[in-house]
Amino acid sequence: MAPPDLPLFERDREQAVLSAVIGELRSGRPALVTVTGEPGLGQNELLRWAAGQARDRGVHVLAARATSAEHELRYGVVAQLLAPEDRDIATRLFVAPQRPGGLPGLNHLLTACHDRPTLLVVQDVQWLDPASLRWLEALARRLPRAPLALLTSTTGTAIDRPEWSVGTPLTGLASTIELALPPLTTSGVSAAVRTVCGVPGDTDFTHALAQATRGVPAVVHEVLLRFTRTGCAPRAEHVEHLRALTAEVVGDHAAQALSELRDPVAVDVLRALAVCGDLLDFPLVCTLAGLHPVPEARLRATLMASGLLTPRDGSPPGHDAVVRARILEEMPAADRADLYARAARLAQRVAVADQGIAELLLRARPVGAPWAVATLRRGFAAALRSGRRDRATAYLARALDEPLRSEERARVELQLASVQMVTAPTAAERRLHGLIRSTGTGTGLRSQAVDLCLLGGDTRAARLAQPPSDADVPAPGRGSGTGIPPGRRARAVAGDATAPRGGNTSDPAHRDGADEHPERTATADNDATVSARDELATVGDRHELATVSERHELATVGDRHELATVSERHELIALLRVARFLRHEETCPGVPPAPALPEHSHSPAVAGVRAWEHAMAGVHLEASRRLARAAFAPDPGGRPPLVTPRLFACRALFLTDDGDEAEAHLATLLNEAHRQRAAIAIAHVLAVRADLHLRHGRPDAAARDLAAAEAELPPARLHPLFVPYWASLNLVADLQNGRPDRAREIAARPVPSLSEECATSAYLLFARGVLARSEDDPQRARAYFRACGRWLLHYGCVNPAVLPWRSLAAEAAHALGDDAEALRLTREEVRLAARWGTRSALGRAELGLAVVIRENRTEHFRAAVATLSESPARTDYTRAVLELASAESAEAERRTALALTSRRASTAGGVAPGPLPGFSQALPAPAGVPPGRGAAPHPRPPAGWPALSPAEHETALLAASGLANREIATTLSVTTRAVELRLSGVYRKLRIRGREELRALRYGPEGG
């Protein structure tokens, strides 16, 4: 009910109608007026205003109010109406026996009305007792014969709808009016704010109040009263506090209405509606509440009259979340859980959507049915698709409350931990550690749990798995007694089937590769089958036949079990080697060294980690490439693939200059992670792909992948072990994208202390060195590159393809005048790069040597350009081209007096100096053609060349080398539009028509 002092905002039309009714009543014209609306819209306040207006005009007023507590009290409202006329009427009505057809006091009232106009005001007629309802209906039929008006209010649907509300023929001679009160508009809410608070409210504050209260005047008024008591001004910064107060007020109103609801059947239906009113229609909700004799229409009317339910667009009744919560809070916890369980069963039977059933199951007790777990898992997938990770984890956590088989429970635990790695990493680690310690998990689940822990940065899990030693694996001829042939058992345990026949097992190319003859396993199986068939041929009766068949089946099962055990052991060793690389803990007391990878293994995980270890050591290029490819082959035993070893295999592939192949595998990994909704795997795959983009000169693509990775795994959730790696990628991407300020901010950002203990720290040190180099600070750059090298060597990484720290440290030393150190570092990098054998690593090393060496620099630059032209390192190739052009220009300046004269003339004329007449040598050959070979030099520069600005000269060189406009923009840290404008100026000044003619300047007039 609205507070008595609530102003009647936006009720001018209704007040005018009631004033007219009162005026006509004084003239002897009767009327029936019903004011309807949701609870709190001010119906009773409007009736009290009308009663006051009538008294002021000399109209006799009789008032009463029906309540739910007096719904069963006979003539309760009639007694209130007639008490001012007859004080003893209540005793006669309540005590005297009811006579059939009797209407006590009605004739006396009608007689009195002839002497004075009378207004009867009855509030909340939805709670009228049946006797009072019949009395008022009889009064309404007699209205045309008396100067009397009946003014009532209701919440919209009465339990027994009075006849006068629809204008029956008996009341046709009287004015029958129904006034439906609407909620307050935004203007009305604004006026209420100004009235209660004393000052106008902000637009945002007013809109928030109107939305939260739905414009119900009673709620608006009480919320504003509580808000003003806090001393806050109606400003936008207090909107959240306003919403909290609104929830309290709505809840208090719901609790009061619930306490006034006396019908136990209605209470049961109301609770059922609170549980599943949005999922099931009203008849099904009544079925859920239980068998009862009350008609559905009466139940609906009772609940609507209580104000706890409101119709919404013709749909079944519903109520706000706050009201729903207050209704359910009144129930005992056990009853509430049981009601949710019964609702979930009913919803499942009528095929409600999975998401709705899952919501019911969240609050239900365990139902013990298989469909419950399946529904929760489907709800989990749907919640992840919509980005609701918290809700998805709640579904799977609830699924664990149901009775599950051990293997199915382990799979649900693993799936739940994969999401919690982003939302609650500590809980995910505890869950995964439990899976790792368990011995009853299914095939591959322990390895998958360790793999997931490594993606989350938990390297302890790999040691927690404790891969068994060789002594723990059953020896040939011993074990379970399943009757496995000794030769087959020996091959299963020792891995003989994976070793190449007739090959040298000491050769890494043979020792480290995957089995190239998978038919050997099938041959062994066929041998066992033939042996069993021969044995069966000697069996005479069916009993012996069954015994031998059972023995052969047990032998096959046992063999597979031992093969699975060996495969798991190999996977766990591979993951332990990855953990050792991420965090070198073997120097800590009590930490045993990680075991070596098995020399012979079918496991793709072993192949992927071994490929990375070869790449780190900078040896066995072809073996590393072959092993990296084998990491993506299906497991012979059907075990699920692991993510971390395949990521390291991808990194090995782009160290072997197989970047396109690595990118294809990364796309496969990304699609797989998206299908599994594994956010942490998606983030790591995107980070590795960003690394690949940076190595191939695509910083814009790298920035996009890094942004997508951070959307999946926010930096605040990133484990400290991976912070340096991600920071280095962001730093280099920003630097190459022309955002040095952001790069400096990343470089200055502190990292967690644990980050300084991991191998990825080398990447951040290298990136900081690159930043210092771009800022022309060789002293700081050399310090960072040296620290990077020390850290990489500490982890056994000597391959310059991983990070070319030696050549960059040498350039910094050369800039500081330490030529001896510069030559030592560059020659060492050339030697190691030549041992590794990729074109990009060797080309970078040759370029570094050419920068610091004094003798034959031009030839060294030419060698670097020739090598890098066949590699995917486009950024290094562009730099080599520019360095070669500069070196050839300097060499030509020293040799050609004509070039010196032209240079002086250009400078004297105010034109920036350009390249020399040896323009054909300054421009590189197309990719794959070494500079200086097969090209006919021009005797003089092309017309207009001296007029090119330095920026146009640089852009022309890059365009002639075959780079696209976007690659040129990336190299020069300018926009693509700037490159287009520069090239337009080059074409105009050189009087050529495009890029093809610019390239043609590299060759002679005949093209020779």
Side-chain angles (χ1 to χ4, degrees):
M1 185 181 69
D5 55 345
L6 177 67
L8 293 172
F9 294 116
E10 298 186 328
R11 297 294 181 252
D12 298 336
R13 181 182 69 87
E14 290 80 6
Q15 289 175 313
V17 171
L18 293 178
S19 296
V21 167
I22 293 171
E24 292 179 354
L25 179 61
R26 296 180 70 246
S27 302
R29 296 193 57 181
L32 280 167
V33 182
T34 304
V35 182
T36 66
E38 295 181 25
L41 290 181
Q43 300 95 311
N44 294 339
E45 175 66 20
L46 192 61
L47 262 62
R48 285 192 290 270
W49 176 87
Q53 292 290 315
R55 290 190 185 97
D56 293 342
R57 298 187 186 185
V59 176
H60 184 53
V61 178
L62 299 177
R65 181 187 177 192
T67 63
S68 60
E70 298 179 355
H71 177 61
E72 301 299 331
L73 181 62
R74 189 181 63 175
Y75 291 120
V77 170
V78 174
Q80 295 180 52
L81 286 174
L82 301 181
E85 303 294 327
D86 187 355
R87 295 182 179 181
D88 299 329
I89 188 66
T91 303
R92 296 197 302 273
L93 291 176
F94 300 155
V95 176
Q98 184 177 5
R99 292 179 297 171
L103 297 171
L106 179 58
N107 292 330
H108 177 74
L109 175 64
L110 293 174
T111 302
C113 288
H114 286 287
D115 298 331
R116 54 181 178 178
T118 303
L119 175 66
L120 270 63
V121 178
V122 182
Q123 302 177 20
D124 299 328
V125 294
Q126 71 271 11
W127 299 118
L128 281 173
D129 61 276
S132 297
L133 178 61
R134 290 194 303 271
W135 194 91
L136 288 174
E137 287 178 344
L139 173 67
R141 287 193 293 270
R142 292 167 172 77
L143 280 182
R145 296 175 292 176
L148 186 145
L150 178 60
L151 176 59
T152 63
S153 68
T154 178
T155 55
T157 303
I159 298 174
D160 292 314
R161 190 170 178 84
E163 291 185 6
W164 68 77
S165 60
V166 293
T168 63
L170 294 177
T171 61
L173 299 179
S175 300
T176 303
I177 302 171
E178 183 172 354
L179 299 176
L181 299 184
L184 295 179
T185 64
T186 304
S187 299
V189 173
S190 178
V193 171
R194 186 168 51 253
T195 301
V196 178
C197 298
V199 293
D202 283 352
T203 302
D204 293 341
F205 183 91
T206 303
H207 281 293
L209 179 62
Q211 183 179 15
T213 61
R214 294 187 299 151
V216 177
V219 180
V220 170
H221 188 255
E222 188 168 347
V223 168
L224 288 176
L225 288 178
R226 295 189 186 186
F227 182 80
T228 54
R229 294 191 195 108
T230 64
C232 299
R235 299 290 180 263
E237 58 266 23
H238 302 302
V239 166
E240 292 302 323
H241 178 53
L242 175 74
R243 291 189 176 123
L245 287 177
T246 304
E248 291 180 6
V249 171
V250 172
D252 292 344
H253 285 197
Q256 181 180 357
L258 187 62
S259 65
E260 295 175 353
L261 193 60
R262 306 294 180 179
D263 188 350
V265 175
V267 172
D268 290 341
V269 174
L270 184 64
R271 289 171 174 174
L273 278 170
V275 167
C276 57
D278 296 335
L279 298 176
L280 305 177
D281 56 16
F282 194 76
L284 286 175
V285 170
C286 294
T287 302
L288 178 64
L291 298 176
H292 49 77
V294 183
E296 177 187 321
R298 183 175 180 84
L299 278 174
R300 186 190 297 268
T302 301
L303 296 177
M304 298 287 283
S306 69
L308 293 170
L309 301 180
T310 55
R312 295 182 178 177
D313 302 328
S315 62
H319 37 271
D320 295 333
V322 175
V323 177
R324 184 195 309 254
R326 283 300 182 97
I327 292 171
L328 296 177
E329 283 175 3
E330 302 295 326
M331 295 182 66
D335 294 346
R336 184 167 59 244
D338 181 72
L339 179 60
Y340 271 107
R342 290 189 288 111
R345 288 196 188 95
L346 181 58
Q348 195 269 340
R349 286 199 298 269
V350 298
V352 173
D354 290 333
Q355 201 90 359
I357 303 175
E359 285 293 323
L360 295 175
L361 289 171
L362 274 184
R363 300 165 180 83
R365 57 169 175 77
V367 297
W371 60 263
V373 176
T375 301
L376 287 166
R377 296 185 75 172
R378 289 194 297 269
F380 160 81
L384 281 185
R385 283 194 297 270
S386 60
R388 302 167 60 207
R389 288 176 179 162
D390 291 340
R391 189 52 102 198
T393 56
Y395 290 153
L396 280 192
R398 171 61 184 83
L400 293 173
D401 294 335
E402 297 290 332
L404 297 170
R405 299 190 309 274
S406 59
E407 184 172 349
E408 186 179 8
R409 179 174 296 277
R411 293 187 184 281
V412 174
E413 293 263 13
L414 185 68
Q415 196 173 21
L416 175 58
S418 68
V419 181
Q420 286 183 328
M421 271 294 180
V422 177
T423 59
T426 304
E429 287 181 8
R430 287 198 302 268
R431 198 177 297 279
L432 291 173
H433 287 183
L435 284 177
I436 294 169
R437 292 191 184 97
S438 175
T439 58
T441 55
T443 302
L445 288 182
R446 293 183 73 220
S447 301
Q448 286 181 283
V450 177
D451 182 36
L452 191 55
C453 283
L454 288 178
L455 290 176
D458 179 16
T459 57
R460 298 171 302 164
R463 295 195 178 277
L464 186 65
Q466 295 180 352
S469 62
D470 292 333
D472 297 330
V473 181
R478 297 182 300 160
S480 59
T482 57
I484 304 175
R488 286 200 53 198
R489 184 179 303 212
R491 286 194 297 272
V493 175
D496 290 347
T498 66
R501 293 184 180 178
N504 182 8
T505 57
S506 63
D507 184 2
H510 294 284
R511 182 180 69 243
D512 303 328
D515 185 16
E516 298 178 353
H517 302 283
E519 67 274 8
R520 294 174 187 167
T521 304
T523 302
D525 292 339
N526 291 334
D527 292 342
T529 304
V530 171
S531 299
R533 189 184 304 124
D534 294 340
E535 184 178 1
L536 290 174
T538 64
V539 179
D541 58 12
R542 294 182 179 180
H543 175 71
E544 292 183 1
L545 178 63
T547 303
V548 174
S549 300
E550 182 179 0
R551 187 188 313 148
H552 177 62
E553 183 179 357
L554 289 174
T556 305
V557 172
D559 194 16
R560 290 176 181 172
H561 175 71
E562 289 191 7
L563 287 175
T565 302
V566 172
S567 298
E568 183 180 81
R569 173 177 174 268
H570 289 180
E571 286 179 345
L572 293 177
I573 291 176
L575 294 172
L576 185 56
R577 300 288 296 182
V578 172
R580 176 185 178 275
F581 168 73
L582 291 176
R583 188 180 182 190
H584 209 333
E585 297 177 315
E586 294 178 357
T587 57
C588 301
V591 178
L597 289 170
E599 293 186 357
H600 308 288
S601 176
H602 277 302
S603 173
V606 172
V609 176
R610 189 180 290 280
W612 173 250
E613 290 189 351
H614 282 340
M616 290 275 290
V619 294
H620 309 311
L621 173 65
E622 290 303 324
S624 178
R625 179 180 287 125
R626 178 167 47 83
L627 287 166
R629 291 168 179 167
F632 294 92
D635 186 90
R639 297 173 67 82
L642 304 179
V643 176
T644 305
R646 288 185 290 168
L647 280 179
F648 277 90
C650 287
R651 295 174 70 178
L653 279 176
F654 58 73
L655 292 181
T656 61
D657 279 358
D658 297 296
D660 293 340
E661 187 175 350
E663 191 168 3
H665 287 309
L666 287 171
T668 302
L669 278 173
L670 192 61
N671 291 334
E672 178 185 302
H674 275 296
R675 285 196 305 271
Q676 297 175 354
R677 310 292 174 184
I680 193 165
I682 294 172
H684 280 285
V685 173
L686 289 171
V688 173
R689 194 169 70 174
D691 191 351
L692 175 62
H693 287 321
L694 289 175
R695 290 174 181 270
H696 287 192
R698 300 190 292 265
D700 51 346
R704 288 194 297 270
D705 275 351
L706 289 172
E710 291 183 357
E712 295 288 340
L713 180 61
R717 297 288 189 181
L718 187 64
H719 194 276
L721 288 182
F722 300 114
V723 167
Y725 182 58
W726 286 43
S728 67
L729 296 177
N730 279 286
L731 192 157
V732 175
D734 286 335
L735 199 59
Q736 293 186 10
N737 283 318
R739 294 190 287 266
D741 293 339
R742 289 181 54 179
R744 293 188 195 97
E745 179 187 349
I746 295 172
R749 194 177 298 161
V751 296
S753 58
L754 184 59
S755 301
E756 300 174 357
E757 304 176 12
C758 61
T760 58
S761 296
Y763 288 86
L764 183 56
L765 292 170
F766 184 84
R768 287 171 173 170
V770 171
L771 177 62
R773 180 171 175 265
S774 69
E775 294 174 343
D776 197 18
D777 188 349
Q779 186 74 34
R780 191 159 52 94
R782 182 170 68 168
Y784 279 126
F785 290 133
R786 281 176 168 177
C788 169
R790 287 193 298 270
W791 206 245
L792 287 176
L793 294 176
H794 173 70
Y795 279 87
C797 178
V798 297
N799 191 351
V802 178
L803 290 175
W805 63 271
R806 294 175 182 85
S807 58
L808 296 183
E811 291 183 23
H814 177 68
L816 295 171
D818 193 349
D819 292 339
E821 181 186 2
L823 286 173
R824 178 182 63 81
L825 289 172
T826 53
R827 284 171 176 161
E828 181 182 2
E829 181 161 330
V830 169
R831 177 180 62 82
L832 295 173
R835 186 181 73 170
W836 177 237
T838 60
R839 306 293 291 178
S840 58
L842 183 58
R844 279 193 296 265
E846 290 174 344
L847 177 60
L849 179 61
V851 170
V852 302
I853 202 168
R854 295 183 182 275
E855 297 83 10
N856 299 324
R857 295 186 69 213
T858 304
E859 294 303 322
H860 284 291
F861 278 126
R862 286 174 181 159
V865 169
T867 304
L868 289 171
S869 66
E870 301 176 5
S871 78
R874 301 304 301 170
T875 302
D876 294 311
Y877 173 63
T878 302
R879 184 193 170 206
V881 168
L882 294 175
E883 294 283 3
L884 174 61
S886 178
E888 287 182 335
S889 299
E891 184 178 295
E893 284 178 359
R894 289 191 298 269
R895 292 199 312 256
T896 308
L898 177 61
L900 183 60
T901 304
S902 300
R903 181 178 178 86
R904 288 175 180 172
S906 300
T907 305
V911 180
L916 299 154
F919 175 70
S920 60
Q921 296 176 348
L923 285 177
V929 180
R933 299 182 184 179
H938 291 288
R940 59 180 180 276
W945 183 261
L948 296 182
S949 67
E952 291 173 338
H953 164 225
E954 191 176 39
T955 305
L957 288 176
L958 296 177
S961 69
L963 296 185
N965 287 357
R966 189 179 66 173
E967 295 174 320
I968 297 173
T970 300
T971 303
L972 302 180
S973 298
V974 296
T975 63
T976 306
R977 179 59 178 164
V979 173
E980 294 172 353
L981 293 175
R982 290 181 186 180
L983 287 178
S984 298
V986 170
Y987 301 153
R988 185 179 65 256
K989 293 176 182 179
L990 297 183
R991 297 181 181 179
I992 59 178
R993 288 176 292 181
R995 191 183 292 260
E996 293 300 324
E997 294 187 21
L998 182 63
R999 291 179 179 176
L1001 295 177
R1002 174 65 182 84
Y1003 301 97
E1006 288 82 14

